[in-house]
Amino acid sequence: SFMYYNNSLHNHVGRLARGAADPKQAAHRTVSVTISGSGLDWHPVDAYLRPDAIGRYSFVGDNEIRFNPPGRQFDAALLMDCSQCPVNPTLRPIFFEFAKKHSDTLRRNGVEPMFLMTWAYQDKPEMTQGLADAYTEAGRLNRAHVVPAGLAFARSVAARPDVNLYVADKRHPSPAGSYLAACTVLASV
């Protein structure tokens, strides 16, 4: 759910990327596959990559359908576990198991795995280090890039506590939080 708040992180990243790109370059295309509250183990990544699955077509213009060329649809996939799975004593081993499984699946299909380091809850800043350590270790073990959104949140809160990065539940991102996460993705990639 962290990814789809505020009209979805992939939309923010896509708009930022298109705004920063040379217009003569190929367009960036982003797609989101999210399940509310899910862990990495809920996602059948191999099924997402089968021919004619995710990314087969897009809606463009006046809701016209454009079929994308067959073949590999993605250069990279940004993986994120549930907000506390990497630091939960019961779920942590599952995080590492599926970080490896999905990284291997993605690479077999020519897609580079990446991890989005999540942020601490607003009222539990002590989560920051544990999340950073878990995602950094998953990145190291799987030779995958880690987008440090959680560290960006912590730095922003320290530097500008007047900018609220959270909605009322103290977990999900406000529009400013989604923007910061998107900027962190773009800067990292």
Side-chain angles (χ1 to χ4, degrees):
S1 60
F2 280 22
M3 281 198 185
Y4 69 68
Y5 249 67
N6 304 308
N7 197 30
S8 197
L9 185 61
H10 82 286
N11 283 321
H12 294 284
V13 171
R15 282 193 292 276
L16 286 168
R18 284 187 294 278
D22 179 343
K24 296 176 187 170
Q25 299 290 325
H28 294 85
R29 189 167 66 86
T30 58
V31 175
S32 179
V33 181
T34 57
I35 303 170
S36 179
S38 71
L40 286 176
D41 57 320
W42 293 21
H43 288 272
V45 171
D46 53 342
Y48 299 155
L49 299 172
R50 74 186 190 285
D52 293 330
I54 308 269
R56 179 175 177 227
Y57 54 86
S58 301
F59 292 95
V60 296
D62 192 21
N63 284 324
E64 301 166 45
I65 296 173
R66 178 188 71 210
F67 285 89
N68 295 310
R72 183 174 57 114
Q73 294 293 326
F74 308 101
D75 295 318
L78 188 60
L79 303 170
M80 184 191 94
D81 210 336
C82 81
S83 60
Q84 62 176 295
C85 289
V87 295
N88 178 289
T90 302
L91 300 174
R92 182 180 168 87
I94 297 168
F95 164 68
F96 283 103
E97 174 187 349
F98 280 85
K100 177 173 180 18
K101 178 180 179 182
H102 294 331
S103 292
D104 292 347
T105 298
L106 290 165
R107 281 212 173 85
R108 273 195 313 277
N109 286 276
V111 179
E112 190 63 30
M114 300 171 63
F115 295 100
L116 178 67
M117 177 193 298
T118 53
W119 45 89
Y121 299 162
Q122 187 175 28
D123 57 348
K124 296 189 184 298
E126 66 275 8
M127 290 173 66
T128 298
Q129 192 60 55
L131 288 166
D133 291 346
Y135 276 100
T136 300
E137 182 67 2
R140 185 189 68 74
L141 290 170
N142 296 289
R143 302 174 334 278
H145 183 74
V146 178
V147 175
L151 295 177
F153 265 64
R155 285 184 182 166
S156 179
V157 168
R160 291 289 310 271
D162 57 309
V163 176
N164 187 7
L165 302 177
Y166 301 87
V167 296
D169 71 3
K170 300 181 179 183
R171 294 184 171 121
H172 291 91
S174 68
S178 290
Y179 179 73
L180 176 58
C183 289
T184 306
V185 170
L186 189 64
S188 295
V189 175

